[in-house]
């Protein structure tokens, strides 16, 4: 997964499937990004596209559960599972 820096923040492009109603926190029963599948994963929803220019933030909790390694020299994310 390739990274881009946008105003100093590492940005990746991904698609989240399923039907999510707008609320503060919701659990996604099955979240799949590339070959990583996580169950009962909490997400926080809100309007950040207009003020910040992106749709979401992947937090450290996802990165730890998915065993991600971020390589800022190569500008990519590696999944170690």
């Amino acid at each position: 997964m390739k990274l881009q820096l946008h105003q100093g923040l590492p940005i990746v492009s991904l698609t989240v499937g399923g039907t999510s109603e707008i609320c503060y926190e919701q659990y996604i029963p099955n979240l799949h990004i590339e070959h990583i599948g996580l169950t009962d994963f909490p997400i926080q929803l809100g309007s950040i596209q207009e003020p910040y220019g992106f749709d979401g933030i992947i937090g450290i909790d996802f990165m730890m559960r998915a065993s991600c390694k971020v390589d800022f020299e190569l500008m990519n994310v590696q999944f170690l599972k």
Side-chain angles (χ1 to χ4, degrees):
M1 181 183 299
K2 295 301 282 181
L3 285 173
Q4 297 177 356
L5 287 180
H6 179 71
Q7 296 180 356
L9 297 173
I11 305 294
V12 297
S13 177
L14 59 96
T15 301
V16 177
T19 56
S20 295
E21 67 180 72
I22 298 299
C23 62
Y24 290 110
E25 182 169 283
Q26 181 173 339
Y27 282 83
I28 301 296
N30 293 301
L31 174 68
H32 294 275
I33 297 177
E34 296 204 0
H35 67 282
I36 301 298
L38 300 175
T39 58
D40 296 321
F41 190 79
I43 63 169
Q44 289 77 36
L45 302 171
S47 297
I48 60 173
Q49 173 62 39
E50 188 173 320
Y52 301 107
F54 51 86
D55 293 318
I57 299 170
I58 296 177
I60 191 72
D61 52 343
F62 169 81
M63 296 181 77
M64 290 176 64
R65 282 183 59 182
S67 296
C68 292
K69 177 182 176 184
V70 179
D71 186 331
F72 286 102
E73 195 170 298
L74 296 176
M75 292 301 288
N76 69 11
V77 178
Q78 299 171 9
F79 295 97
L80 303 177
K81 284 186 176 180

